[in-house]
Amino acid sequence: MHLIKDAYSQQDDNDKTLFFSVIIEQLKLTLSSKHIYSTEFLLLAAKFYFCYPAAYSFIRSSKILILPHPVYIKKLSNALKGPSSVSNNNHIMYLQKKNEMLSPNEKLICLLIDEIYVNPGLNYKGGKLLGKAENANQQANTIQAFMITSLFSKYKEIVALVPMKNQTADYLYCQTLKVLQMLNDCKYNVLCLISDNNRINRNIFTQMCQGNLVNCISNPVQPENKLFFLFDTVHLIKSVRNNWFNEKTIGQVLCFPSPDNSSKIFLAKLQDLKDIYETEKSNLIKNAPKLSQKVLYPTSFEKQNVLLALNIFHESNSAALAHEAGEKEKDTMGTKEFTDQFLKWWNIVNVKNSEKGKRLKNPFFTQLGVKIK
């Protein structure tokens, strides 16, 4: 009792008021045959459910407290409008409040642009009809997503999800400028735009650069700061893999210049990796353990898997190709050189900790002063 009394005495007035309101609410619910919840209690229950759903279900099933059913809470939350529009005032207020909780470094962000394909259809949810495109009087077939991520923390946030029909570069350019202005009004500092190398995304980057694509420009909404353009590295490596797999030549040969001498041409043969896989697939010990059926013969859905794409350029594959060239005297050095160059590039861009290079004793993991040789 003394511990409870001490803990109660340390609470501020707001906590005490909340405590008493919950107790009074529970007493009313216990004595009534029909459960009618107050607005304040529904808000409290919704916060509890969305933060700790497992604990909420346990307390409700154990009848420790009388709580609304999760389905009822979800129905109420469906009426709340999410970040479906760039000009959504409620979401803008949320971003402003969130910004006030961040440190100055955490407000330095990247804006990610991506397109999500959806099945066209209309849904009636929360008193609203959803599924209509914002750029046409038709059902949307894609969702244009804008997301921010902090450079110095794990903070991520969805800025807008815009239903679209037959996306165009001009419309996406206008939407991107609106998002940049909204983030500037919310006191975020956008350092760069990141997208895949889709044609429409390339076109809006070129449009922002006044027709000549460069790596950075003055920020349209913050002229004193630079705005950099980056293409998603993961998407680039998947694009290279897909182009290699789509080669129609015998052995699926991809020609590429030497990094040291542009006049010297190497031949990267996908068949070299397939031969290694076919030779070793039934072995317990393998020179190239990362090669598999899914890696070398992916379906359309499996081609979206980042790990499967990275396994094509794994260091064990490079060692296996060198072994094939040395022990079996096969011409696999062109494929090995191609694998090595992308492995070096991935080691350079895939660094989150400046000490990673020292820990792994690999100079390509250091962030400063590294060049592909």
Side-chain angles (χ1 to χ4, degrees):
M1 286 297 293
H2 291 294
L3 291 175
I4 296 175
K5 184 177 180 180
D6 292 341
Y8 178 77
S9 62
Q10 292 175 2
Q11 291 180 325
D12 58 25
D13 293 338
N14 291 334
D15 290 338
K16 291 177 182 178
T17 303
L18 179 62
F19 176 79
F20 280 119
S21 65
V22 171
I23 295 297
I24 295 171
E25 182 92 12
Q26 289 297 303
L27 289 173
K28 289 181 179 179
L29 293 171
T30 304
L31 298 174
S32 63
S33 58
K34 186 177 181 180
H35 295 163
I36 300 176
Y37 304 97
S38 65
T39 305
E40 293 76 12
F41 188 76
L42 284 173
L43 288 172
L44 181 63
K47 290 179 182 178
F48 182 29
Y49 172 72
F50 288 120
C51 292
Y52 310 102
Y56 186 93
S57 299
F58 173 77
I59 292 175
R60 188 175 183 277
S61 61
S62 302
K63 297 183 179 180
I64 299 173
L65 294 175
I66 300 175
L67 298 173
H69 196 282
V71 174
Y72 182 58
I73 292 179
K74 290 179 180 179
K75 284 182 178 179
L76 292 176
S77 65
N78 284 338
L80 301 176
K81 188 176 181 182
S84 59
S85 174
V86 177
S87 58
N88 185 350
N89 293 329
N90 291 333
H91 194 62
I92 292 174
M93 291 177 60
Y94 166 77
L95 291 175
Q96 290 173 341
K97 293 294 183 182
K98 194 72 176 180
N99 180 275
E100 295 173 359
M101 302 170 61
L102 301 176
S103 65
N105 286 339
E106 290 177 317
K107 297 177 184 180
L108 189 63
I109 60 172
C110 300
L111 175 60
L112 283 68
I113 304 173
D114 201 4
E115 193 175 26
I116 305 169
Y117 288 88
V118 296
N119 292 325
L122 296 176
N123 294 307
Y124 184 77
K125 183 180 293 186
K128 298 179 179 65
L129 194 63
L130 305 178
K132 180 180 174 297
E134 288 205 2
N135 64 332
N137 191 23
Q138 301 179 50
Q139 296 178 13
N141 60 356
T142 60
I143 300 293
Q144 187 61 51
F146 295 90
M147 189 179 80
I148 57 175
T149 177
S150 174
L151 285 173
F152 296 102
S153 72
K154 295 182 179 180
Y155 171 65
K156 294 180 180 179
E157 201 74 66
I158 295 176
V159 177
L161 298 173
V162 186
M164 305 292 291
K165 176 67 176 181
N166 298 332
Q167 176 77 280
T168 63
D170 290 337
Y171 192 85
L172 181 57
Y173 173 73
C174 295
Q175 291 291 311
T176 304
L177 289 181
K178 289 181 180 179
V179 171
L180 288 173
Q181 185 61 57
M182 180 183 70
L183 292 173
N184 182 57
D185 295 340
C186 294
K187 302 188 185 317
Y188 288 95
N189 187 5
V190 181
L191 179 65
C192 64
L193 292 178
I194 301 177
S195 76
D196 57 36
N197 61 343
N198 179 281
R199 177 181 56 83
I200 292 178
N201 295 335
R202 293 198 307 269
N203 288 344
I204 69 162
F205 282 3
T206 304
Q207 197 169 346
M208 285 188 168
C209 298
Q210 306 299 322
N212 184 23
L213 186 62
V214 293
N215 61 352
C216 69
I217 62 170
S218 295
N219 193 318
V221 297
Q222 293 179 337
E224 67 279 6
N225 295 330
K226 294 289 186 180
L227 180 65
F228 292 84
F229 300 112
L230 300 177
F231 289 107
D232 182 11
T233 52
V234 170
H235 189 274
L236 288 177
I237 207 165
K238 287 194 293 185
S239 296
V240 172
R241 187 275 313 271
N242 292 342
N243 286 334
W244 197 9
F245 279 35
N246 292 335
E247 282 292 331
K248 303 301 181 182
T249 55
I250 298 176
Q252 293 177 279
V253 180
L254 193 66
C255 302
F256 67 99
S258 167
D260 299 321
N261 184 2
S262 58
S263 61
K264 186 177 180 180
I265 302 299
F266 284 107
L267 301 179
K269 293 174 284 186
L270 186 63
Q271 190 63 43
D272 291 340
L273 296 177
K274 291 183 177 180
D275 290 342
I276 294 173
Y277 167 68
E278 294 296 332
T279 303
E280 298 184 342
K281 65 180 180 180
S282 58
N283 296 349
L284 291 176
I285 301 176
K286 303 177 182 180
N287 289 325
K290 295 297 182 179
L291 295 180
S292 66
Q293 182 76 18
K294 290 184 178 182
V295 171
L296 293 171
Y297 306 96
T299 63
S300 297
F301 182 75
E302 289 169 347
K303 285 182 179 180
Q304 304 301 317
N305 190 309
V306 177
L307 184 60
L308 295 181
L310 293 176
N311 284 344
I312 285 289
F313 304 102
H314 197 268
E315 57 187 356
S316 61
N317 298 344
S318 177
L321 290 166
H323 179 267
E324 291 287 310
E327 298 293 329
K328 301 182 181 180
E329 297 183 353
K330 291 185 177 180
D331 184 17
T332 59
M333 296 310 293
T335 311
K336 180 183 182 303
E337 180 67 22
F338 187 68
T339 304
D340 287 343
Q341 291 303 320
F342 271 91
L343 181 60
K344 290 177 183 178
W345 172 74
W346 179 249
N347 288 341
I348 291 171
V349 298
N350 189 36
V351 177
K352 295 182 180 179
N353 191 323
S354 59
E355 300 296 322
K356 185 177 181 180
K358 296 179 182 179
R359 187 177 71 254
L360 299 179
K361 297 182 180 179
N362 187 336
F364 291 101
F365 282 124
T366 56
Q367 291 180 312
L368 301 176
V370 178
K371 296 181 179 179
I372 295 179
K373 296 181 180 179

